Amino acid sequence: MSSTAMKEKPRAAETAGLSAPTVRVKRLPQGEGLDLPRYETALAAGCDVRAAVPEGEPLVLKPGERFMVPTGIAIALPPGWEAQMRPRSGLAARRGVTCVNAPGTIDADYRGELKVILINHGAEDFVVRRGDRIGQLVIAPVWQARFEEVETLDETARGEGGFGSTGV
Ligand SMILES: O=c1ccn([C@H]2C[C@H](O)[C@@H](COP(=O)(O)OP(=O)(O)OP(=O)(O)O)O2)c(=O)[nH]1
């Protein structure tokens, strides 16, 4: 990371009228020695997470295979925030490797190890080595709504149209 990125205080959330949350990160034994998530550029939205597969024991994802890759970290988000586990576009574009469940949802009350559920949509084996950057975390505010059961919903111009109803 550039030292400029480190010195600048987080700005994007402040633009939206919120102050940046503090996310507590716990390094798990299998994450020993790996870099913790960090923003690589001043206004990056995501922080890369790394594969905590054992040293010298790379994981091989054959075409079509998927695997829940450990990251060696657990986090505590403050209430009202979520983390999204998203694919890295470079891996997607170059290798066809993405997250099956993108964006993965990390709940504020989850304390287990973060995992990246990778799938290899490419035509070649994809090798994951210890420390490889396999996904990125985006921290975002989230609401818990009140759900209210009703008999009828208000009418709209769209009505029940969806799934391409407006054409291509
Ligand atoms: O890509 C992901 C998605 C989820 N999780 C963790 C954090 C999240 O809080 C927990 C549960 O995820 P989710 O709610 O999507 O899973 P579920 O299948 O609905 O399981 P549960 O019944 O445990 O909520 O799993 C990850 O580590 N990586």
Side-chain angles (χ1 to χ4, degrees):
M1 174 167 70
S2 76
S3 56
T4 321
M6 251 169 74
K7 278 181 206 139
E8 286 190 26
K9 61 177 188 160
R11 281 192 291 173
E14 286 170 15
T15 311
L18 296 163
S19 52
T22 298
V23 177
R24 296 198 161 81
V25 183
K26 182 179 175 192
R27 191 192 292 279
L28 304 173
Q30 60 273 32
E32 198 58 48
L34 295 182
D35 286 345
L36 294 178
R38 64 181 184 220
Y39 296 102
E40 300 284 344
T41 65
L43 294 179
C47 322
D48 292 340
V49 293
R50 292 172 184 272
V53 295
E55 190 75 58
E57 292 176 41
L59 171 74
V60 180
L61 283 182
K62 294 189 183 308
E65 279 187 348
R66 62 175 187 270
F67 195 83
M68 243 170 37
V69 186
T71 61
I73 56 169
I75 64 174
L77 291 152
W81 295 83
E82 64 159 337
Q84 298 169 9
M85 186 67 82
R86 299 193 192 173
R88 294 190 66 213
S89 57
L91 295 183
R94 288 199 306 271
R95 308 300 307 274
V97 170
T98 187
C99 299
V100 185
N101 58 332
T105 304
I106 314 297
D107 303 283
D109 52 2
Y110 178 71
R111 296 292 176 270
E113 181 177 21
L114 299 188
K115 305 257 174 90
V116 186
I117 312 173
L118 285 185
I119 186 160
N120 181 3
H121 287 308
E124 293 165 17
D125 287 3
F126 181 70
V127 180
V128 181
R129 296 188 175 79
R130 184 170 182 79
D132 284 353
R133 292 181 289 155
I134 48 169
Q136 58 180 323
L137 273 183
V138 171
I139 310 296
V142 66
W143 288 98
Q144 272 194 344
R146 284 181 297 277
F147 292 98
E148 182 190 347
E149 186 176 357
V150 294
E151 291 295 322
T152 53
L153 300 172
D154 60 307
E155 288 182 16
T156 67
R158 173 183 285 274
E160 295 183 16
F163 314 102
S165 66
T166 61
V168 286

